[in-house]
Amino acid sequence: MQAVTRVEGRAYPWGAKNIDTDIIIPAHWLKTVSREGLGRGAFESVRAEPGNLFDDPRYAGSPILIAGENFGCGSSREHAAWAMADMGIRAVIAPSFSDIYSGNAFKNGIVTVELPQAAIDRLVEVARTDAITIDLETMTVTTAFQDRYEFTMDPFRRQCLMQGLDEIGMTLAKDTAISNYESMVAAKRPWIKRESGDAGLAVTGIGRT
């Protein structure tokens, strides 16, 4: 996972409410287990409409999406986060998120920022012409017009995002401490390793005389 401390740039000024995962990535795109190329299917039904903002050259490649409340509701498909990441979105700002989508977004390095509706309305307005900055160090969303909105985030998720570590990566980062602990246990309680080995022999020896 790529480390992220700041996401800055143009944003898709969408603001739509109750966007479910089927709108983010339709079911017929779920046949693949690869994350690559899913961006082509992201928001497919919205992109089918003439003049949609996702194909508007003014917002091409925008790293931020501004949405309405209950973003990512519906099914638990992780493909929704994969598709958004593949199209270059690194952060979503909304009043609220589905818990499952928020978790999937985090695991794929997408920052989810919750702000009140009044702040969303203002950011949608700013995004039509200017860039927006999300800073995980200061926990703020700012604009060139001196707008400044503070947000909160689970400290563990914030640390993982800033270090570029998912939950598995965070565990692997403690590999030395884990190895040292296992060595200490093996020295102090050698019977544990012996019993574990005997259990393995018992399993592999089923059916033997």
Side-chain angles (χ1 to χ4, degrees):
M1 189 167 74
Q2 184 178 356
V4 53
T5 57
R6 173 181 290 204
V7 183
E8 184 174 13
R10 295 298 299 273
Y12 294 104
W14 201 15
K17 301 179 180 179
N18 299 313
I19 297 302
D20 63 34
T21 50
D22 194 55
I23 293 177
I24 298 173
I25 185 71
H28 62 264
W29 284 88
L30 307 187
K31 299 175 183 178
T32 177
V33 295
S34 172
R35 306 182 187 197
E36 297 181 2
L38 281 177
R40 297 193 306 272
F43 305 105
E44 186 177 65
S45 60
V46 179
R47 283 174 153 167
E49 301 173 4
N52 72 86
L53 62 82
F54 290 108
D55 292 324
D56 189 323
R58 292 177 296 173
Y59 310 116
S62 293
I64 302 170
L65 172 66
I66 303 173
E69 63 185 7
N70 198 28
F71 185 82
C73 57
S75 73
S76 61
R77 65 188 69 166
E78 189 174 6
H79 295 67
W82 292 358
M84 292 180 63
D86 192 59
M87 69 179 289
I89 293 176
R90 301 192 65 198
V92 184
I93 306 174
S96 61
F97 296 88
S98 156
D99 288 341
I100 294 177
Y101 172 81
S102 181
N104 287 336
F106 154 66
K107 292 174 184 177
N108 288 277
I110 297 176
V111 180
T112 54
V113 176
E114 293 189 13
L115 290 176
Q117 186 61 51
I120 296 298
D121 294 340
R122 170 59 180 163
L123 292 174
V124 166
E125 178 184 352
V126 171
R128 293 192 177 104
T129 56
D130 291 88
I132 291 170
T133 299
I134 300 169
D135 194 322
L136 287 182
E137 291 186 343
T138 60
M139 299 292 283
T140 59
V141 177
T142 57
T143 75
F145 303 100
Q146 307 306 310
D147 299 294
R148 181 183 176 89
Y149 304 105
E150 295 183 355
F151 63 92
T152 60
M153 181 180 291
D154 177 80
F156 174 73
R157 289 189 175 185
R158 177 173 177 257
Q159 181 183 8
C160 288
L161 288 166
M162 293 181 70
Q163 294 183 7
L165 297 173
D166 57 17
E167 290 160 316
I168 295 175
M170 186 68 78
T171 301
L172 292 176
K174 300 182 182 296
D175 178 63
T176 300
I178 293 171
S179 296
N180 290 340
Y181 176 78
E182 290 178 340
S183 297
M184 180 271 292
V185 171
K188 288 187 174 181
R189 305 168 186 169
W191 63 87
I192 293 179
K193 184 175 182 180
R194 225 174 19 247
E195 290 176 354
S196 176
D198 291 344
L201 289 174
V203 172
T204 57
I206 290 177
R208 295 181 183 177
T209 59

